[in-house]
Amino acid sequence: MTAIPLLDVRDLTVEFATRRGIVRAVQHVNIQVAKGETIGIVGESGSGKSVTSYAVLRILDRAGKIAEGSITFSGIDVAAASESEMQDLRGSEISMIFQNPRAALNPIRKIGQQIEDVLLTHLKADARDVTEKAVEALDQVRIARPRERYHAYPFELSGGMCQRVVIALALACRPQLMIADEPTTGLDVTTQKTVMDLITELTRERGMSTILITHDLGLASAYCDRVIVMEKGRVIETAPSRAIFTAPSHPYTRKLMRATPRPGITLRDLLPEEPGGPRLVVGKEAPRSGEPLLTVTKLIKEYPRKGVGKTLATMFRRGPAPETETFRAVDGVSFAVNRGESVGLVGESGCGKSTTSSMVMRLIDHTDGVIMFDGQDIGEIPAEKFAKLPIRKRIQMVFQDPTDSLNPRFTAARAIADPIMRLGDVKGRDALRARCEDLAKQVGLPVELLDRFPHQLSGGQKARVGIARAIALKPDLIILDEPTAALDVSVQAVVLNLLQDLKEQLGMSYLFVSHDLNVVRLLCDRVIVMRGGKIVEEGPTERVLFAPEADYTKELLSAIPHRDFDVPAKGSELRLAAST
Amino acid sequence: MTDTPVQAPTHGIAAIIKHSRYVIAENKVTGFSFGLFVLIVLAAVIGPYVVPYDPLASATSVALKPPSAAHWFGTDQLGRDVFSRVIVATRLDFFIAVASVALVFAMGGLAGVAAGFFGGWVDRVVGRIADTIMAFPLFVLAMGIVAALGNSVQNIILATAIVNFPLYARIARSEANIRRDAGFVQAARLSGNGDIRIVLTQVLPNIMPIMIVQMSLTMGYAILNAAGLSFIGLGVRPPTPEWGIMVAEGAAFMVSGEWWIAFFPGLALMIAVFCFNLLGDGLRDIVDPQRRT
């Protein structure tokens, strides 16, 4: 590095004052970003990657402060700059894209006006040409019909569109550095690809530098020149992205890479290398023959189109009136799940996969169709009555968000015991407690954690509690609704393996609802791809993912960001390091 | 961070005390209001046994005496000790406030939770009842209720509860509504819980912290309301010691310079309301997860 870097972070330490004393969120971090360079900061939650970027923009919350080190941005000492100097810098020289685009936009202002605000604040336009410039900014982020969309409110746009508007906002003043904090986390894979391609193209065009903060190694490897890996507030590895993925030097980087689901590996490959000999490799059990456990035939769910009253709607409607009175979220879906089989239900948001699973789960009623479970038409039973029937025991669910799905006022033991108390046959306090402890052991939750409340548990521990609760009644079918979407990759690896083990031990069937094809591939025997409430493609996992027939499946597969990286074979270096 | 090492478990009462101590230490004003609260409770519980004079005993020989060593707050027109009366009145005023807040919590809280959780016609009925109550000026409504039902402590409690109903119903409704589709509610359904059980064991405990803050904030209003009703003659009747009546009785003597008769019960009233409002703010800090850094 000969040239002076655009951004030079040296020996940065950020401290937060909390009730438990001072917490060092970032410790002695060094980051240099050259002009025109794209760097990725990768780490799991709590690694300090976001805090570092907040420090650069000096937008740490009140409890946080830069304790040590310097931040120099094109000759300006950011750590010592006054607040008004920082205001000039933010937005016009350094800009930021946040994780949730909808939350980053003001919901009651037109998107065009929001871009104008930025331009006017930084004196990049005056009253005469500001509208033109705002429209131009929208056009640059490939928003079709920018002049019309200028008048749109954020709620009228899709998530991907909103993120484009946020990018337009961030780029409006032609900054030199853009910080993107998990810019595509809430977006579908195909949208993620278009958004990331757009960011790369625009920043290259303008010779800007970009810092991409992400937990997704695949994303970082595909889009960044250099990657910085952070763990617990420290930078543990910095290398060009090609080098880091072919020869990661730090064990943590290797662990992260192993845990990232990718083509060509099995579920067991996700787990960290174990020095104590190879793990028992369990082959995938062939689905047992016989009657399918669950058969869904021509399932339909219609919702009335909600909104303003009909007369009002026709009075104020600008476009043509909608053709139908109802909206079909699920449109004639048929599939079967055999005993002991895992079926993946894949699709992007709004494809009807969650509605389908809720109907099978009997949480909501269907409009038409048949749901046969073990020879009984459970679709006929109203959802309200279903809750108290004995058959409720046999279909359980693991929820998407382990935090949201646990009552904050219940201890882990109480949460696990709840289904047993209502539907189970274990009576008496001691027996119940013993059963909870058995379940905790089964899912690998330390028994002493059973008396904790959810907020005292980590994400992985909460996921285990959720799984323990789902298997408490020994169900035949478990619906897994993106059970690992809220977890870090290394935790995801452990949870996925746990699910596989439990399935083999207890002989359950899984219906795995997910948007992540790489994860589905690892756990499922068969895959169903859905789009717009219909099934697009169905078949054995390997066939669908390696020789997709439907165009949509191909599009989904090609959108997954990855650079093919090989994890070095069971750590020869590691063994060496250990023996010396 | 799959399995973090076992840290010292903190839960139950010990954790609440620890957290409360932290908040009080952080915020001196809250600590002060907790102190005042303890003082008010003490006055209400043991006040009648420790006051120096009988609050009802008149002694015309010492009527209208200004504050002195013998009579700290002076005496009123019948020679009754104002200090004793102010302290003894604490119990009645505090009782009215607590009872009415408990009543409105039971009525408004449950109705609101039901409205928010079930929606549909339950929501509409509860909403319209709340709207109807809010269509009246609240104090005038309370006056009307007491005037219609008769002057008694029960009716003051009922009137105060009714005028506060919309506030509780609305807060409980919105909080229950947010949690209606929460993951843990769905999980409870999968575990075989019926709707009623879900409301009572899953939803209600989770909105309790917010309701408790609300209760503390309305305590002040309830005391004011009770005193206000007594002040205009629609509440507790003389000679019962009660802050509102005492202010009303003393008001006539203000012009002639005997300020202490109205001043001290007024001061007690002010301190009580002040204390409950500060306490509400402090409680909000305790239950607000944002402060749990």
Side-chain angles (χ1 to χ4, degrees):
Chain A
M1 267 186 271
T2 44
I4 302 162
L6 177 69
L7 176 73
D8 192 359
V9 177
R10 282 195 187 278
D11 203 30
L12 178 72
T13 299
V14 178
E15 291 178 348
F16 283 87
T18 71
R19 57 191 277 214
R20 289 193 187 85
I22 285 171
V23 173
R24 293 192 151 194
V26 172
Q27 299 178 40
H28 309 293
V29 161
N30 290 298
I31 295 173
Q32 280 77 39
V33 184
K35 207 162 167 46
E37 192 183 28
T38 301
I39 71 155
I41 303 183
V42 179
E44 301 194 306
S45 47
S47 63
K49 56 192 194 300
S50 290
V51 172
T52 308
S53 65
Y54 292 169
V56 169
L57 277 169
R58 281 256 312 270
I59 51 172
L60 292 166
D61 65 28
R62 232 185 305 169
K65 71 172 204 298
I66 299 171
E68 275 172 50
S70 68
I71 303 169
T72 319
F73 174 76
S74 66
I76 303 166
D77 182 3
V78 171
S82 71
E83 187 53 34
S84 73
E85 281 171 324
M86 280 315 292
Q87 280 173 8
D88 289 340
L89 216 56
R90 290 182 205 130
S92 85
E93 296 297 323
I94 312 176
S95 62
M96 185 147 184
I97 300 177
F98 292 93
Q99 183 169 353
N100 184 349
R102 229 173 268 276
L105 292 170
N106 184 341
I108 58 159
R109 271 174 80 74
K110 294 175 178 172
I111 56 166
Q113 289 173 340
Q114 300 193 34
I115 296 175
E116 284 181 5
D117 292 344
V118 179
L119 289 168
L120 291 171
T121 315
H122 293 292
L123 306 171
K124 301 282 171 170
D126 55 34
R128 271 167 294 137
D129 61 352
V130 70
T131 309
E132 275 312 305
K133 285 198 173 166
V135 172
E136 196 188 310
L138 287 176
D139 190 40
Q140 277 167 350
V141 291
R142 316 274 186 281
I143 287 184
R145 292 176 284 121
R147 215 162 284 277
E148 273 171 55
R149 290 279 162 69
Y150 173 92
H151 297 286
Y153 290 95
F155 69 86
E156 296 176 313
L157 303 174
S158 67
M161 266 314 203
C162 281
Q163 193 57 288
R164 282 170 203 228
V165 174
V166 173
I167 295 170
L169 271 172
L171 295 182
C173 294
R174 301 189 163 264
Q176 298 183 59
L177 174 67
M178 182 165 78
I179 300 173
D181 187 0
E182 306 263 7
T184 58
T185 300
L187 305 177
D188 288 325
V189 268
T190 49
T191 322
Q192 163 167 301
K193 187 171 159 57
T194 46
V195 166
M196 282 314 299
D197 288 347
L198 182 70
I199 291 178
T200 326
E201 198 186 320
L202 292 176
T203 50
R204 292 254 159 82
E205 224 169 67
R206 295 163 190 220
M208 286 167 53
S209 309
T210 312
I211 298 178
L212 174 68
I213 297 166
T214 180
H215 65 278
D216 187 342
L217 270 175
L219 192 72
S221 69
Y223 290 99
C224 299
D225 303 324
R226 260 189 325 131
V227 174
I228 292 169
V229 183
M230 286 185 75
E231 186 200 13
K232 292 175 190 160
R234 290 174 188 277
V235 169
I236 55 162
E237 189 161 1
T238 308
S241 62
R242 190 173 298 273
I244 214 164
F245 291 105
T246 46
S249 61
H250 197 278
Y252 177 74
T253 318
R254 260 205 301 276
K255 184 184 151 209
L256 263 189
M257 281 175 53
R258 284 187 71 87
T260 306
R262 55 201 182 277
I265 54 147
T266 65
L267 203 49
R268 305 300 180 208
D269 290 336
L270 295 179
L271 294 175
E273 321 151 29
E274 275 173 38
R279 272 173 74 98
L280 182 71
V281 179
V282 190
K284 267 189 190 169
E285 204 181 325
R288 274 163 253 172
S289 52
E291 283 284 290
L293 181 67
L294 174 80
T295 322
V296 172
T297 320
K298 292 197 179 117
L299 194 62
I300 292 172
K301 178 71 186 178
E302 286 180 341
Y303 286 107
R305 281 191 194 276
K306 273 192 184 165
V308 217
K310 218 172 151 193
T311 34
L312 266 179
T314 41
M315 272 168 75
F316 291 107
R317 183 161 294 284
R318 275 173 288 184
E323 322 83 73
T324 45
E325 287 294 301
T326 54
F327 165 71
R328 279 200 173 180
V330 176
D331 193 358
V333 165
S334 305
F335 64 90
V337 179
N338 292 315
R339 285 171 200 278
E341 190 186 31
S342 298
V343 176
L345 200 55
V346 181
E348 296 190 296
S349 48
C351 74
K353 59 184 193 297
S354 295
T355 314
T356 307
S357 68
S358 295
M359 280 189 285
V360 173
M361 201 72 247
R362 304 303 303 124
L363 280 173
I364 55 173
D365 286 319
H366 63 326
T367 310
D368 199 20
V370 181
I371 306 169
M372 294 291 281
F373 179 79
D374 201 18
Q376 193 181 351
D377 186 358
I378 59 169
E380 288 302 301
I381 308 166
E384 282 171 41
K385 293 217 178 112
F386 199 83
K388 288 173 181 167
L389 295 179
I391 197 169
R392 170 80 285 166
K393 283 208 290 197
R394 304 181 56 192
I395 314 173
Q396 288 291 318
M397 184 163 183
V398 176
F399 291 85
Q400 176 168 1
D401 185 345
T403 309
D404 177 61
S405 63
L406 294 177
N407 188 336
R409 305 244 137 204
F410 279 9
T411 60
R414 177 74 181 78
I416 298 171
D418 200 41
I420 309 172
M421 283 158 69
R422 295 281 86 74
L423 296 167
D425 42 15
V426 179
K427 295 276 174 271
R429 269 182 80 118
D430 296 338
L432 200 62
R433 177 75 194 184
R435 176 86 181 109
C436 286
E437 286 182 3
D438 284 348
L439 284 163
K441 280 176 201 147
Q442 215 164 358
V443 298
L445 182 76
V447 172
E448 58 270 24
L449 297 184
L450 277 175
D451 294 315
R452 293 223 192 149
F453 287 94
H455 68 92
Q456 295 163 324
L457 299 171
S458 71
Q461 288 162 349
K462 280 185 273 199
R464 286 172 200 267
V465 174
I467 294 169
R469 178 174 60 187
I471 63 167
L473 295 169
K474 303 195 180 88
D476 297 317
L477 175 68
I478 291 191
I479 294 184
L480 305 163
D481 184 6
E482 310 236 13
T484 58
L487 302 176
D488 283 328
V489 275
S490 59
V491 183
Q492 165 174 293
V494 176
V495 170
L496 288 177
N497 274 286
L498 170 67
L499 286 170
Q500 181 66 23
D501 290 342
L502 287 172
K503 187 189 127 186
E504 279 155 17
Q505 282 169 22
L506 305 173
M508 300 179 290
S509 304
Y510 285 161
L511 183 61
F512 190 101
V513 181
S514 180
H515 69 279
D516 191 336
L517 284 166
N518 273 332
V519 172
V520 168
R521 202 184 61 77
L522 294 171
L523 201 63
C524 299
D525 307 312
R526 270 190 313 126
V527 176
I528 298 166
V529 182
M530 280 185 78
R531 185 188 202 184
K534 292 196 167 94
I535 291 180
V536 179
E537 188 164 3
E538 182 180 355
T541 312
E542 298 300 308
R543 210 273 296 143
V544 172
L545 296 190
F546 289 109
E549 281 160 14
D551 290 341
Y552 178 65
T553 318
K554 288 177 193 160
E555 194 189 326
L556 269 185
L557 283 166
S558 67
I560 301 172
H562 57 76
R563 177 178 284 182
D564 294 326
F565 51 76
D566 306 312
V567 179
K570 286 215 165 175
S572 45
E573 307 137 68
L574 250 194
R575 295 258 166 80
L576 264 172
S579 59
T580 46
Chain B
M1 297 220 302
T2 355
D3 300 304
T4 45
V6 183
Q7 37 180 285
T10 47
H11 46 77
I13 307 287
I16 295 170
I17 292 173
K18 195 174 157 223
H19 184 71
S20 308
R21 203 181 292 151
Y22 167 75
V23 170
I24 292 168
E26 279 286 288
N27 188 344
K28 298 285 185 294
V29 179
T30 306
F32 175 68
S33 73
F34 273 107
L36 273 183
F37 178 72
V38 170
L39 217 66
I40 291 174
V41 172
L42 269 182
V45 175
I46 60 164
Y49 310 112
V50 296
V51 289
Y53 298 92
D54 180 354
L56 296 177
S58 49
T60 29
S61 55
V62 289
L64 295 176
K65 288 277 181 291
S68 64
H71 298 282
W72 292 354
F73 292 177
T75 57
D76 67 2
Q77 71 279 15
L78 297 175
R80 295 174 297 195
D81 181 41
V82 176
F83 175 74
S84 303
R85 285 175 65 79
V86 165
I87 296 298
V88 171
T90 312
R91 181 183 281 190
L92 183 61
D93 279 286
F94 191 66
F95 169 71
I96 291 175
V98 169
S100 68
V101 165
L103 185 64
V104 70
F105 169 72
M107 294 193 312
L110 286 179
V113 169
F117 187 78
F118 295 109
W121 65 267
V122 185
D123 189 15
R124 281 196 287 277
V125 169
V126 173
R128 287 310 80 74
I129 292 174
D131 288 347
T132 312
I133 294 172
M134 289 184 73
F136 293 94
L138 293 186
F139 190 71
V140 175
L141 180 66
M143 272 167 60
I145 294 168
V146 176
L149 298 178
N151 270 12
S152 70
V153 172
Q154 291 96 303
N155 290 337
I156 296 175
I157 291 169
L158 185 68
T160 312
I162 288 174
V163 297
N164 277 326
F165 176 85
L167 216 61
Y168 280 75
R170 288 182 165 199
I171 290 175
R173 180 194 173 278
S174 60
E175 291 295 328
N177 199 271
I178 298 167
R179 288 168 179 81
R180 176 162 74 171
D181 296 319
F184 63 85
V185 170
Q186 294 204 341
R189 222 169 246 142
L190 295 186
S191 309
N193 292 280
D195 278 342
I196 304 288
R197 196 188 289 273
I198 288 177
V199 168
L200 294 179
T201 64
Q202 308 278 341
V203 180
L204 204 56
N206 278 296
I207 66 173
M208 273 312 277
I210 293 148
M211 297 303 280
I212 287 170
V213 172
Q214 191 56 36
M215 284 163 89
S216 177
L217 290 174
T218 37
M219 279 281 268
Y221 178 76
I223 289 190
L224 267 188
N225 200 58
L229 285 172
S230 303
F231 180 83
I232 57 166
L234 272 173
V236 184
R237 289 168 200 266
T240 320
E242 197 278 338
W243 295 334
I245 307 173
M246 291 170 71
V247 174
E249 287 177 347
F253 295 92
M254 291 285 270
V255 279
S256 51
E258 286 96 7
W259 52 271
W260 56 89
I261 305 177
F263 176 80
F264 288 106
L267 187 70
L269 197 55
M270 197 199 84
I271 289 173
V273 174
F274 186 63
C275 161
F276 286 123
N277 286 348
L278 286 180
L279 200 62
D281 287 345
L283 280 176
R284 179 161 31 208
D285 290 346
I286 288 177
V287 299
D288 184 359
Q290 294 286 316
R291 298 234 356 165
R292 295 191 168 201
T293 42

